[in-house]
Amino acid sequence: MKKSTVIIRFASIVSLLILLGFASYYFFIFARCFFVSKDIVPFYSVSLMRVLVYGKSPESMSAHISLIDSSGKEFAVIDRSWSNSSLYIEFSSASFKEKEIYFPIRIYSGRYLSSGRMVAGRGLDLTRYYMDGDECSFVSAHDSKEHKSAVGAFAVFAVSQSKKFQSRFSRIRTINISDLQDAAVYEVVIGSNGSLNVYRM
């Protein structure tokens, strides 16, 4: 057997094993959400973040964004400026057995071309502020171990879906915070029906 043939077969086997590994991991995080959904206590009327827009110009925008756990405690702060005057927060959800939770995925700026098409920047990854392995900081330290584990499983699934395809088990929502009034504080809240809402405090 030629050496090149051996190399090709070896590469094919390695590629297949990698593909099977990814498929197995996806199936695990997907199936786990069904199993732990019973441990999700009502995660509604809970504030995920507070947003304060300092100001904006045609070239830039600055804002103070804080992430809040289920007890109302602030656990992370993003305080900075972005290029462009349009700023968006992208959320991805996990929805199993009529229980849906949204998680913020990234903050990104964008601008519109003369053709009307928007060019979006890569943005700031928000998951690193609240995900530590399978643990999710949006859950209060006072919550039960089962609830923490369940929300963590939902978060892992929502984050993974945001980087792949969407399905009936996950949705993407985007909030344009450029429309918010300067110097006013807003809360992003999961509504009683699992919806995502923005309220001025």
Side-chain angles (χ1 to χ4, degrees), residues 153-169:
F154 271 44
V156 169
F157 179 79
V159 172
S160 71
Q161 286 291 281
S162 70
K163 300 173 182 177
K164 298 180 179 66
F165 56 87
Q166 296 299 289
S167 68
R168 68 187 183 93
F169 301 100

Side-chain angles (χ1 to χ4, degrees), residues 63-131:
H64 176 97
I65 299 170
S66 53
L67 304 183
I68 313 296
D69 72 14
S70 56
S71 71
K73 180 181 177 182
E74 181 182 280
F75 65 84
V77 172
I78 299 100
D79 197 346
R80 52 166 287 184
S81 296
W82 286 264
S83 299
N84 301 322
S85 58
S86 296
L87 193 62
Y88 306 87
I89 304 177
E90 182 180 87
F91 296 80
S92 180
S93 74
S95 178
F96 293 86
K97 295 186 177 179
E98 299 182 351
K99 295 179 180 180
E100 184 172 27
I101 304 177
Y102 278 93
F103 300 90
I105 300 300
R106 63 175 180 141
I107 302 175
Y108 65 94
S109 60
R111 61 186 178 87
Y112 285 93
L113 303 177
S114 56
S115 63
R117 185 173 67 90
M118 189 186 78
V119 178
R122 183 175 181 180
L124 174 67
D125 178 18
L126 290 175
T127 63
R128 63 190 179 94
Y129 290 95
Y130 62 86
M131 290 301 295

Side-chain angles (χ1 to χ4, degrees), residues 167-182:
S167 68
R168 68 187 183 93
F169 301 100
S170 180
R171 295 186 292 175
I172 290 288
R173 283 283 308 279
T174 303
I175 293 176
N176 182 357
I177 66 174
S178 315
D179 294 337
L180 304 184
Q181 184 177 338
D182 294 359

Side-chain angles (χ1 to χ4, degrees), residues 178-198:
S178 315
D179 294 337
L180 304 184
Q181 184 177 338
D182 294 359
V185 178
Y186 293 81
E187 281 193 335
V188 179
V189 179
I190 298 179
S192 58
N193 59 350
S195 62
L196 204 59
N197 304 295
V198 181

Side-chain angles (χ1 to χ4, degrees), residues 43 45-50 66-76 130 136-143 148 187-188:
F43 203 76
S45 299
V46 172
S47 175
L48 293 176
M49 59 172 60
R50 295 189 184 100
S66 53
L67 304 183
I68 313 296
D69 72 14
S70 56
S71 71
K73 180 181 177 182
E74 181 182 280
F75 65 84
Y130 62 86
C136 178
S137 297
F138 281 113
V139 184
S140 167
H142 304 294
D143 285 13
K148 291 178 184 177
E187 281 193 335
V188 179

